Amino acid sequence: MVTELLINAIKYAFPVARADACVRNSFEQDGEDWKLSVADNGVGMGAKPTPPNPGGLGTAMVAALVKQLGAKLTEASTKTGLTISIERATFVSALPKAV
């Protein structure tokens, strides 16, 4: 998963070479809960293509692993970069469910 996310960041974040190009990955863990992030300071995702691009084999593999791990994938894109986070929280909310 990490390799695929890093390769995608390198491949798509910097269409033009930049001296300040940076890709950072991080992993945090607290007991059974964890969060994996890959962030870059590239061009971001910009406008989504129409129709939405389903991605390639690597994207499908990451999605399958996220599902298998019971995790959640989030994307945060700006003009100054993209962060992909995969997070698994094992706690159960004590808040009542909405009716």
Side-chain angles (χ1 to χ4, degrees), residues 3-87:
T3 302
E4 180 63 26
L5 295 174
L6 287 171
I7 288 171
N8 281 349
I10 293 166
K11 195 172 175 182
Y12 299 112
F14 309 104
V16 177
R18 293 177 17 191
D20 68 337
C22 179
V23 179
R24 182 186 76 239
N25 66 310
S26 63
F27 181 79
E28 302 171 77
Q29 184 175 3
D30 183 13
E32 296 287 319
D33 300 337
W34 53 265
K35 182 176 183 177
L36 167 71
S37 297
V38 176
D40 63 65
N41 64 342
V43 296
M45 290 183 72
K48 296 267 186 190
T50 306
N53 181 0
L57 178 59
T59 301
M61 289 181 358
V62 169
L65 285 168
V66 167
K67 183 177 179 180
Q68 183 179 7
L69 293 168
K72 179 178 84 169
L73 185 140
T74 56
E75 299 174 348
S77 180
T78 67
K79 292 179 182 177
T80 58
L82 173 67
T83 300
I84 304 286
S85 296
I86 300 169
E87 186 172 3

